[in-house]
Amino acid sequence: MIEFRNVSKSFWTGSQRKVILDQVSFRVEIGRSMGILAPNGTGKTTLINMMAGLEKPDDGEIMRTSNVSFPLGFMGGVISKISAMENSRYIANLYGMDPDYVEAYCRWLCGLGEYFDQPLGTYSSGMKSRFTFSLMLALDFDIYLIDEGMPGSTDVEFNRKAGSILQERLKTTTIVIVSHSPQILEKFATSAGVLLNGQLHMFDTLEEAKQLYDYETQG
């Protein structure tokens, strides 16, 4: 479970204070995957980083009673100077998992061939996304955090395999996806929220959330 209790978060942009959350309370329950709709620039990444513990609230409290993943696409846990092979084994040791298994899983899923043994600093952004997504799926989490859905990859085979694995994980784990696109959430979310003007409006169904989101963003 992840629970936000009266959480506030804002940033000073240089000319004004941008409010991301204003006294927001909600809960992510195990077994009930959630989608959060938010227009670009409203704080999607900040919100999911707070769920992961990468950013702290200005006020309020965030409780975690489950094993929560790093956000998909977050590169802070990997090292650009070493290879994907070395990174996968390093991260496996950090999480107490079998390095041989994590390396083999990542090598199979991301499909980088000989680049898997090259430094991450030589990768394109799409290759990095494929590796970090593979690494996240190789590890054992109760809640998986995904910012904007699938990584920015044009590799059809990777997208097919990764999407299939995500669907299978829904049977035993919980996924939280934040996105500006309702279509991305349709595959995974059973409940949904809409982030607008510092408030998170929660709904039991994605369809209800889409109605508010479309009204506010399309006028």
Side-chain angles (χ1 to χ4, degrees), residues 105-141:
Y105 187 98
C106 291
R107 193 181 288 271
W108 164 76
L109 180 55
C110 66
L112 294 175
E114 62 185 13
Y115 284 101
F116 197 84
D117 298 304
Q118 302 299 319
L120 262 64
T122 65
Y123 289 12
S124 68
S125 59
M127 292 166 66
K128 288 179 182 177
S129 292
R130 282 160 60 185
F131 171 64
T132 56
F133 195 23
S134 301
L135 182 57
M136 183 183 74
L137 291 177
L139 303 176
D140 186 19
F141 295 109

Coordinates of all heavy atoms in Angstrom, one line a residue, residues 105-141:
Y105 N 17.6 -12.3 -17.6 CA 16.2 -11.8 -17.9 C 16.3 -10.5 -18.7 O 15.7 -10.3 -19.7 CB 15.5 -11.6 -16.6 CG 14.0 -11.2 -16.7 CD1 13.0 -12.2 -16.6 CD2 13.6 -9.9 -17.0 CE1 11.7 -11.8 -16.8 CE2 12.3 -9.6 -17.2 CZ 11.3 -10.5 -17.0 OH 10.0 -10.2 -17.2
C106 N 17.2 -9.6 -18.2 CA 17.3 -8.3 -18.9 C 17.9 -8.5 -20.3 O 17.4 -7.8 -21.3 CB 18.2 -7.4 -18.1 SG 17.5 -6.8 -16.6
R107 N 18.9 -9.4 -20.4 CA 19.5 -9.6 -21.7 C 18.5 -10.1 -22.7 O 18.4 -9.7 -23.9 CB 20.7 -10.6 -21.6 CG 21.6 -10.7 -22.8 CD 22.7 -11.7 -22.5 NE 23.7 -11.2 -21.6 CZ 24.8 -10.6 -21.9 NH1 25.0 -10.2 -23.2 NH2 25.6 -10.2 -21.0
W108 N 17.6 -11.0 -22.2 CA 16.6 -11.6 -23.1 C 15.5 -10.6 -23.5 O 15.2 -10.4 -24.7 CB 15.9 -12.8 -22.4 CG 14.6 -13.2 -23.0 CD1 14.4 -13.9 -24.2 CD2 13.3 -12.8 -22.5 NE1 13.0 -14.0 -24.4 CE2 12.3 -13.4 -23.4 CE3 12.8 -12.1 -21.4 CZ2 11.0 -13.2 -23.3 CZ3 11.4 -12.0 -21.2 CH2 10.5 -12.5 -22.1
L109 N 15.0 -9.8 -22.5 CA 13.9 -8.9 -22.8 C 14.3 -7.7 -23.6 O 13.6 -7.3 -24.5 CB 13.3 -8.5 -21.4 CG 12.0 -7.5 -21.6 CD1 11.0 -8.1 -22.5 CD2 11.5 -7.2 -20.2
C110 N 15.4 -7.0 -23.2 CA 15.7 -5.8 -23.9 C 16.2 -6.0 -25.3 O 16.1 -5.1 -26.1 CB 16.6 -4.9 -23.1 SG 18.3 -5.5 -22.8
G111 N 16.8 -7.1 -25.6 CA 17.2 -7.4 -27.0 C 18.2 -6.5 -27.5 O 18.2 -6.1 -28.7
L112 N 19.2 -6.1 -26.7 CA 20.2 -5.2 -27.2 C 21.5 -5.8 -27.9 O 22.4 -5.1 -28.3 CB 20.7 -4.3 -26.0 CG 19.7 -3.4 -25.4 CD1 20.2 -2.7 -24.2 CD2 19.2 -2.4 -26.4
G113 N 21.5 -7.2 -27.9 CA 22.6 -7.8 -28.5 C 23.9 -7.5 -27.9 O 24.0 -7.4 -26.6
E114 N 24.9 -7.2 -28.7 CA 26.3 -6.9 -28.2 C 26.3 -5.6 -27.4 O 27.3 -5.5 -26.6 CB 27.3 -6.9 -29.3 CG 27.0 -5.8 -30.3 CD 27.9 -5.8 -31.5 OE1 28.6 -6.8 -31.7 OE2 28.0 -4.8 -32.3
Y115 N 25.4 -4.7 -27.6 CA 25.4 -3.5 -26.8 C 25.1 -3.7 -25.3 O 25.4 -2.9 -24.5 CB 24.3 -2.5 -27.4 CG 24.7 -1.9 -28.7 CD1 24.1 -2.3 -29.9 CD2 25.5 -0.8 -28.7 CE1 24.5 -1.8 -31.1 CE2 25.9 -0.2 -29.9 CZ 25.4 -0.7 -31.1 OH 25.7 -0.1 -32.3
F116 N 24.6 -4.9 -25.0 CA 24.3 -5.2 -23.6 C 25.6 -5.2 -22.8 O 25.6 -5.0 -21.6 CB 23.6 -6.5 -23.4 CG 23.0 -6.8 -22.1 CD1 21.7 -6.3 -21.8 CD2 23.6 -7.5 -21.1 CE1 21.1 -6.5 -20.6 CE2 23.0 -7.7 -19.8 CZ 21.8 -7.2 -19.6
D117 N 26.7 -5.4 -23.5 CA 28.0 -5.5 -22.8 C 28.8 -4.2 -23.0 O 30.0 -4.1 -22.7 CB 28.8 -6.7 -23.3 CG 28.1 -8.0 -23.0 OD1 27.9 -8.3 -21.8 OD2 27.8 -8.7 -24.0
Q118 N 28.2 -3.2 -23.5 CA 28.8 -1.9 -23.7 C 28.3 -0.9 -22.6 O 27.2 -1.0 -22.1 CB 28.5 -1.3 -25.1 CG 28.9 -2.2 -26.2 CD 30.4 -2.4 -26.2 OE1 31.2 -1.5 -26.0 NE2 30.8 -3.7 -26.5
P119 N 29.1 0.2 -22.3 CA 28.6 1.2 -21.3 C 27.3 1.8 -21.7 O 27.0 2.1 -22.9 CB 29.8 2.2 -21.3 CG 30.9 1.5 -21.9 CD 30.4 0.5 -22.9
L120 N 26.5 2.1 -20.7 CA 25.2 2.7 -21.0 C 25.3 4.1 -21.6 O 24.4 4.6 -22.3 CB 24.4 2.8 -19.6 CG 23.3 1.7 -19.4 CD1 24.0 0.4 -19.3 CD2 22.5 2.0 -18.2
G121 N 26.5 4.7 -21.3 CA 26.7 6.1 -21.9 C 26.7 6.1 -23.4 O 26.6 7.2 -24.0
T122 N 26.9 4.9 -24.0 CA 26.9 4.8 -25.5 C 25.5 4.6 -26.1 O 25.4 4.5 -27.3 CB 27.9 3.7 -25.9 OG1 27.3 2.4 -25.5 CG2 29.2 3.9 -25.4
Y123 N 24.5 4.4 -25.2 CA 23.2 4.0 -25.7 C 22.4 5.2 -26.2 O 22.6 6.4 -25.7 CB 22.4 3.4 -24.5 CG 22.8 2.0 -24.1 CD1 24.0 1.5 -24.6 CD2 22.0 1.2 -23.3 CE1 24.4 0.2 -24.2 CE2 22.4 0.0 -22.9 CZ 23.6 -0.5 -23.3 OH 24.0 -1.8 -22.9
S124 N 21.4 5.0 -27.1 CA 20.4 6.0 -27.4 C 19.4 6.0 -26.3 O 19.4 5.2 -25.4 CB 19.7 5.7 -28.7 OG 19.0 4.5 -28.5
S125 N 18.5 7.1 -26.3 CA 17.5 7.2 -25.2 C 16.6 6.0 -25.3 O 16.1 5.5 -24.2 CB 16.7 8.5 -25.3 OG 16.1 8.6 -26.6
G126 N 16.2 5.5 -26.5 CA 15.4 4.3 -26.6 C 16.0 3.1 -26.1 O 15.3 2.3 -25.4
M127 N 17.3 2.9 -26.3 CA 18.0 1.7 -25.7 C 18.0 1.8 -24.2 O 17.8 0.8 -23.6 CB 19.4 1.7 -26.3 CG 19.4 1.4 -27.8 SD 21.0 1.7 -28.6 CE 22.0 0.4 -27.8
K128 N 18.3 3.0 -23.7 CA 18.3 3.1 -22.2 C 16.9 2.8 -21.6 O 16.8 2.1 -20.6 CB 18.7 4.5 -21.8 CG 20.2 4.8 -22.1 CD 20.5 6.3 -21.7 CE 21.9 6.6 -21.9 NZ 22.2 8.0 -21.6
S129 N 15.9 3.2 -22.3 CA 14.5 3.0 -21.8 C 14.2 1.5 -21.8 O 13.6 0.9 -20.9 CB 13.5 3.7 -22.7 OG 13.6 5.1 -22.5
R130 N 14.6 0.8 -22.9 CA 14.4 -0.6 -23.0 C 15.1 -1.4 -21.8 O 14.6 -2.3 -21.2 CB 14.9 -1.2 -24.3 CG 13.9 -0.9 -25.4 CD 14.5 -0.9 -26.8 NE 15.1 -2.2 -27.1 CZ 15.8 -2.5 -28.2 NH1 16.0 -1.5 -29.1 NH2 16.3 -3.7 -28.5
F131 N 16.4 -0.9 -21.5 CA 17.1 -1.6 -20.5 C 16.5 -1.3 -19.1 O 16.3 -2.3 -18.3 CB 18.6 -1.2 -20.5 CG 19.3 -1.7 -19.3 CD1 19.5 -3.0 -19.1 CD2 19.8 -0.8 -18.3 CE1 20.2 -3.5 -17.9 CE2 20.5 -1.2 -17.2 CZ 20.6 -2.6 -17.0
T132 N 16.2 -0.1 -18.8 CA 15.6 0.2 -17.5 C 14.3 -0.4 -17.3 O 13.9 -0.9 -16.2 CB 15.5 1.7 -17.2 OG1 14.8 2.4 -18.2 CG2 16.9 2.3 -17.1
F133 N 13.5 -0.5 -18.3 CA 12.2 -1.2 -18.2 C 12.4 -2.7 -18.0 O 11.7 -3.3 -17.1 CB 11.4 -1.0 -19.5 CG 9.9 -1.3 -19.4 CD1 9.3 -1.3 -18.2 CD2 9.2 -1.6 -20.5 CE1 7.9 -1.6 -18.1 CE2 7.8 -1.9 -20.5 CZ 7.2 -1.9 -19.2
S134 N 13.3 -3.3 -18.7 CA 13.6 -4.7 -18.5 C 14.1 -4.9 -17.1 O 13.8 -5.9 -16.4 CB 14.7 -5.2 -19.5 OG 14.2 -5.0 -20.8
L135 N 15.0 -4.0 -16.6 CA 15.5 -4.2 -15.2 C 14.4 -4.1 -14.2 O 14.3 -4.9 -13.2 CB 16.5 -3.1 -15.0 CG 17.2 -3.1 -13.6 CD1 18.0 -4.4 -13.4 CD2 18.2 -1.9 -13.6
M136 N 13.4 -3.2 -14.4 CA 12.3 -3.1 -13.5 C 11.5 -4.3 -13.4 O 11.1 -4.8 -12.4 CB 11.4 -1.9 -13.8 CG 10.3 -1.6 -12.9 SD 9.2 -0.3 -13.4 CE 8.3 -1.1 -14.7
L137 N 11.2 -4.9 -14.6 CA 10.4 -6.1 -14.7 C 11.2 -7.4 -14.2 O 10.6 -8.3 -13.8 CB 9.9 -6.4 -16.1 CG 8.9 -5.4 -16.6 CD1 8.6 -5.7 -18.1 CD2 7.7 -5.3 -15.8
A138 N 12.5 -7.3 -14.2 CA 13.3 -8.4 -13.7 C 13.2 -8.5 -12.1 O 13.5 -9.6 -11.6 CB 14.7 -8.3 -14.1
L139 N 13.0 -7.4 -11.5 CA 12.9 -7.3 -10.0 C 11.5 -7.6 -9.5 O 10.6 -7.5 -10.2 CB 13.4 -6.0 -9.5 CG 14.8 -5.6 -10.0 CD1 15.2 -4.2 -9.6 CD2 15.9 -6.6 -9.5
D140 N 11.5 -8.0 -8.2 CA 10.2 -8.4 -7.6 C 9.6 -7.3 -6.8 O 10.1 -7.1 -5.7 CB 10.5 -9.7 -6.8 CG 9.2 -10.3 -6.3 OD1 8.1 -10.0 -6.8 OD2 9.3 -11.1 -5.3
F141 N 8.6 -6.7 -7.3 CA 7.9 -5.6 -6.6 C 6.4 -5.9 -6.4 O 5.8 -6.6 -7.2 CB 8.0 -4.3 -7.3 CG 9.5 -3.8 -7.5 CD1 10.1 -3.8 -8.7 CD2 10.2 -3.3 -6.4 CE1 11.4 -3.3 -8.9 CE2 11.5 -2.8 -6.5 CZ 12.1 -2.8 -7.8

